[in-house]
């Protein structure tokens, strides 16, 4: 409830529309979701999408993601193991 009130106050103060996209931006800008959580979510979502496109070649997909996010392939594998 407090989050919703703070978000509404913020939107009113800056004359912004109260929609889901603005809310997501609000919670990210205010550090309510840690960057590591965003990275994990993004890697997992992209992995599923790319794995389908690359016919299940996990190593190729991990290497593509590692290059895209400037991370090591090992880091990507570790993120995927935790899902």
């Amino acid at each position: 409830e407090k989050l919703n009130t703070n978000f509404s106050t913020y939107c009113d103060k800056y004359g912004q529309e109260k929609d889901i996209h603005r809310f997501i931006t609000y919670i990210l800008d205010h550090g309510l979701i840690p960057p590591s959580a965003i990275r994990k979510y993004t890697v997992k979502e992209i992995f599923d999408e790319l794995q389908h496109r690359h016919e299940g070649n996990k190593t190729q997909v991990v290497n593509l993601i590692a290059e895209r996010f400037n991370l090591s392939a090992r880091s990507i594998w570790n993120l995927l193991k935790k899902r």
Side-chain angles (χ1 to χ4, degrees):
E1 187 64 34
K2 182 155 177 75
L3 179 60
N4 188 38
T5 302
N6 290 346
F7 173 64
S8 291
T9 302
Y10 175 84
C11 289
D12 292 342
K13 180 178 179 179
Y14 294 104
Q16 297 179 345
E17 188 175 330
K18 297 171 190 155
D19 61 19
I20 188 65
H21 299 291
R22 185 86 52 211
F23 180 71
I24 292 169
T25 301
Y26 174 81
I27 61 175
L28 292 173
D29 287 350
H30 287 82
L32 300 175
I33 299 176
S36 61
I38 296 167
R39 184 174 47 248
K40 287 176 190 175
Y41 174 81
T42 304
V43 164
K44 291 172 185 178
E45 289 296 312
I46 291 173
F47 178 82
D48 291 339
E49 179 184 325
L50 290 177
Q51 188 178 16
H52 179 70
R53 283 193 212 163
H54 291 275
E55 300 175 359
N57 187 332
K58 292 180 182 179
T59 301
Q60 183 180 12
V61 171
V62 165
N63 289 332
L64 286 170
I65 295 171
E67 183 179 326
R68 180 174 178 181
F69 290 99
N70 197 28
L71 295 169
S72 69
R74 184 175 187 87
S75 295
I76 302 300
W77 283 117
N78 286 335
L79 285 172
L80 293 171
K81 284 181 187 176
K82 296 176 183 176
R83 54 186 207 156

